[in-house]
Amino acid sequence: LANAGGPTTILVTHHIEEIVPSIQNTLILSAGRIHAVGRTCDVITRETIEKVYNTRLARMESIAGRLWPIWGV
């Protein structure tokens, strides 16, 4: 977790929209197990969110630099 370029911050949230562009790496837990881990841009995808939340998304939208799941088909 240590970053040679500065301090490390850990954000725990249930709200995808709180993951800001400056967050480099993301770990997603589902039912207490690691579901996905890696670069945020590779982890926060429509497919991952649909699987973790067991739902269908109409799309993922970037609004003001944050990813927003748009629920519904």
Side-chain angles (χ1 to χ4, degrees), residues 36-48:
V37 63
R39 295 181 331 152
T40 299
C41 62
D42 297 331
V43 170
I44 304 298
T45 64
R46 178 179 179 170
E47 294 78 19
T48 301

Side-chain angles (χ1 to χ4, degrees), residues 46 50 55-61 68-73:
R46 178 179 179 170
E50 287 180 340
T55 191
R56 298 264 303 147
L57 296 177
R59 64 189 180 282
M60 292 286 287
E61 239 178 67
W68 291 81
I70 308 300
W71 305 102
V73 178

Side-chain angles (χ1 to χ4, degrees):
L1 292 175
N3 179 355
T8 298
T9 301
I10 298 174
L11 168 70
V12 178
T13 184
H14 293 182
H15 304 281
I16 299 163
E17 64 275 8
E18 291 178 356
I19 301 172
V20 295
S22 61
I23 295 176
Q24 298 171 352
N25 295 293
T26 298
L27 180 140
I28 295 179
L29 295 173
S30 179
R33 298 182 189 273
I34 295 174
H35 179 80
V37 63
R39 295 181 331 152
T40 299
C41 62
D42 297 331
V43 170
I44 304 298
T45 64
R46 178 179 179 170
E47 294 78 19
T48 301
I49 300 309
E50 287 180 340
K51 188 176 276 189
V52 168
Y53 286 92
N54 193 30
T55 191
R56 298 264 303 147
L57 296 177
R59 64 189 180 282
M60 292 286 287
E61 239 178 67
S62 179
I63 302 171
R66 295 180 183 215
L67 286 172
W68 291 81
I70 308 300
W71 305 102
V73 178

